[in-house]
Amino acid sequence: MIKVQKSLLKILSDVLWRKTSEYTYSEQEWEDILSTAEDQGVLLLALQGCTSIRQQVSAASWLKWRSKMLSTMINNEVLMEAQSKIAEALKNQSIPYAVLKGASLSACYYNPFARALGDIDLLVPVQFVDRASEILISQGFCAPEDSFAHPYHIDFYKNSVVAELHDAVSTFPDSPAGTEAKQYMESWPEQLRQKHIGNYTFNCLSDSHQALSLLLHMERHMTTGCIGLRQLCDWAAFLTSVMPDYFANRIVPELRLCGLKKFAGVLTKTAIRYLGLHSAYGMPFQSVRERDIQAMIEEILRTGSIHNKNNAKDGSNFFVDESGTVSAFHVFVAKMNSLAQRKFPVTKKRPYLLPLFGLYIPLRYWVRSLAGKRRRKSLLRTIMITKQRKRLYRTLNLFKNAPEK
């Protein structure tokens, strides 16, 4: 971990728990810290804790970061207003819904407005998707043809606002733990709760469903190589919205059945170590080792925000599966085949072409990287990161509900 990352973690740790601290950094150090915060999706949160920055940087630098902060705050308000109108319409039509991620997690922070919002995520039962879609369209949203390509949500667009209409929170692996997670999440309409941010009121998942939904979201993004500090801050903020005993006795047992207890434990211990989360939340996870915590923080700091997926400095995504047990070669072949089928539909009808496109895709990337059109990847770094991630995923034992020790 480099100095700028340590500085950012300290700032986030203080601002999350309402600690007032004065930081003294040079202008270049501030630039590096805030640039890292922006990459990690926590710029607005970090700026909330940097009360001394204005006196330590030039006017031009301050105006640049202040402009980014104001832009994010305006975007938050636009999204909250749009979400409120959609939620009200769904309520009037007696359509059950829950706000996922976004505002539902912002409400867990002591200052909800310090968390940047990206889009609007709404979960509705599958039988109400058509009616909910009609409501979005009636409010001026549209869904281009490629909006329907995702397996469990439809993307709707209206100017700068993106609304994702979900009929599920995630895909689930074909395993006993995956089946348990799927069945448990399907009970979400029975346990809705309301949350408030300012004058806005909306439905959210119950605490136990929220925990599982958040872990499913993080697992999916992590195994594609783009979990970041915003997700860790969200997890820490969510935990503080429930009592430690309730988390240990009511939520953790369900996470174990879903094969995500170890993942939750490593994230919780990482938040305790690096974000100052209260240690009481770590009591159910005494078996988490120091090397697990170090591996997780390295995974989080490696890429950053989920929006930086395509800017990763290594290509380890193509060599690692979520179990960490499949050989790099077999993972690479499987992912190349999947990519070829998605990019070149002809391969679905003529699968004998897959090996050809399996060679063409990486060759095309290599040529584009030489031309400066794509980020170059370091082979040695890719090998090193692939090994690290495989070890971490084997440790996490994702979606395997092993018996308690």
Side-chain angles (χ1 to χ4, degrees):
M1 187 186 305
I2 59 178
K3 182 179 178 181
V4 63
Q5 294 169 337
K6 293 179 180 178
S7 299
L8 175 59
L9 287 168
K10 173 60 177 172
I11 291 170
L12 292 175
S13 177
D14 286 347
V15 73
L16 279 171
W17 319 121
R18 289 182 278 185
K19 297 178 183 177
T20 302
S21 301
E22 293 291 326
Y23 307 99
T24 302
Y25 299 110
S26 68
E27 181 162 347
Q28 185 57 56
E29 287 174 326
W30 274 121
E31 287 288 320
D32 293 341
I33 291 168
L34 296 179
S35 293
T36 302
E38 186 174 26
D39 289 342
Q40 289 281 346
V42 292
L43 177 61
L44 185 56
L45 188 63
L47 283 168
Q48 297 291 316
C50 298
T51 55
S52 57
I53 183 176
R54 189 171 184 177
Q55 290 74 41
Q56 296 178 26
V57 299
S58 65
S61 179
W62 166 245
L63 287 175
K64 177 184 73 172
W65 294 112
R66 181 175 179 271
S67 175
K68 290 177 181 288
M69 179 172 65
L70 292 175
S71 177
T72 303
M73 293 172 68
I74 292 170
N75 184 63
N76 279 3
E77 184 63 27
V78 169
L79 288 170
M80 289 298 298
E81 181 66 25
Q83 176 184 287
S84 180
K85 291 179 179 178
I86 299 169
E88 184 65 23
L90 292 171
K91 178 182 176 183
N92 290 339
Q93 292 291 321
S94 300
I95 299 176
Y97 78 90
V99 173
L100 298 176
K101 301 176 287 185
S104 73
L105 292 170
S106 296
C108 298
Y109 287 75
Y110 87 89
N111 179 4
F113 301 100
R115 185 192 184 276
L117 301 177
D119 50 30
I120 300 168
D121 292 272
L122 295 166
L123 176 65
V124 300
V126 64
Q127 66 269 29
F128 290 102
V129 168
D130 288 344
R131 285 175 57 192
S133 298
E134 291 172 359
I135 287 173
L136 284 161
I137 292 170
S138 71
Q139 295 191 5
F141 285 87
C142 64
E145 186 176 344
D146 60 359
S147 297
F148 298 86
H150 201 277
Y152 54 87
H153 68 68
I154 305 171
D155 296 333
F156 289 85
Y157 301 88
K158 180 182 178 181
N159 300 324
S160 62
V161 177
V162 179
E164 295 183 359
L165 186 62
H166 293 246
D167 58 35
V169 298
S170 184
T171 54
F172 300 88
D174 185 16
S175 68
T179 299
E180 171 68 26
K182 183 176 185 295
Q183 291 177 344
Y184 187 73
M185 282 308 308
E186 287 174 347
S187 67
W188 68 265
E190 304 165 12
Q191 302 179 47
L192 289 173
R193 58 174 300 186
Q194 284 193 333
K195 288 191 178 181
H196 310 273
I197 295 179
N199 296 323
Y200 300 107
T201 300
F202 46 91
N203 290 344
C204 294
L205 300 173
S206 71
D207 290 333
S208 54
H209 287 93
Q210 179 79 296
L212 181 53
S213 173
L214 185 52
L215 289 170
L216 289 166
H217 175 68
M218 289 190 288
E219 179 274 333
R220 186 173 68 255
H221 282 293
M222 181 185 72
T223 53
T224 57
C226 50
I227 188 174
L229 278 177
R230 182 162 73 174
Q231 286 72 49
L232 187 64
C233 289
D234 283 347
W235 181 248
F238 163 71
L239 288 182
T240 58
S241 72
V242 300
M243 295 300 293
D245 287 347
Y246 183 88
F247 176 63
N249 299 323
R250 299 291 297 276
I251 297 179
V252 171
E254 182 60 39
L255 298 181
R256 183 182 67 80
L257 293 175
C258 296
L260 292 173
K261 178 183 176 182
K262 188 63 179 287
F263 186 33
V266 174
L267 284 169
T268 302
K269 287 285 195 173
T270 303
I272 291 170
R273 170 68 56 81
Y274 292 102
L275 293 180
L277 176 68
H278 197 288
S279 59
Y281 292 97
M283 291 304 293
F285 311 114
Q286 297 303 314
S287 64
V288 173
R289 299 165 296 185
E290 177 64 25
R291 69 181 186 185
D292 302 333
I293 298 171
Q294 293 302 318
M296 180 55 73
I297 196 65
E298 289 175 11
E299 178 82 353
I300 288 169
L301 294 174
R302 182 176 59 85
T303 303
S305 168
I306 61 177
H307 302 293
N308 291 339
K309 178 180 178 180
N310 295 324
N311 296 323
K313 296 179 181 178
D314 65 87
S316 60
N317 273 1
F318 289 101
F319 301 97
V320 184
D321 76 316
E322 66 182 24
S323 72
T325 59
V326 180
S327 73
F329 173 77
H330 286 97
V331 173
F332 178 79
V333 171
K335 292 194 174 185
M336 280 297 106
N337 287 344
S338 176
L339 185 59
Q341 290 175 335
R342 190 167 70 250
K343 297 288 187 181
F344 306 99
V346 66
T347 58
K348 294 180 180 179
K349 296 181 179 179
R350 296 178 173 84
Y352 59 83
L353 293 175
L354 285 172
L356 178 63
F357 282 100
L359 293 173
Y360 168 72
I361 292 172
L363 180 61
R364 182 182 63 172
Y365 185 95
W366 179 71
V367 171
R368 288 182 174 181
S369 66
L370 289 178
K373 296 180 180 179
R374 298 298 297 269
R375 179 189 285 272
R376 293 191 184 187
K377 311 289 187 183
S378 164
L379 178 59
L380 290 177
R381 177 177 172 81
T382 296
I383 293 172
M384 179 186 71
I385 297 299
T386 296
K387 290 181 178 179
Q388 290 178 357
R389 294 180 70 193
K390 285 173 76 70
R391 283 196 297 269
L392 174 62
Y393 295 173
R394 286 196 297 269
T395 295
L396 295 178
N397 221 22
L398 296 164
F399 297 109
K400 294 180 180 177
N401 45 5
E404 294 286 273
K405 293 182 178 180

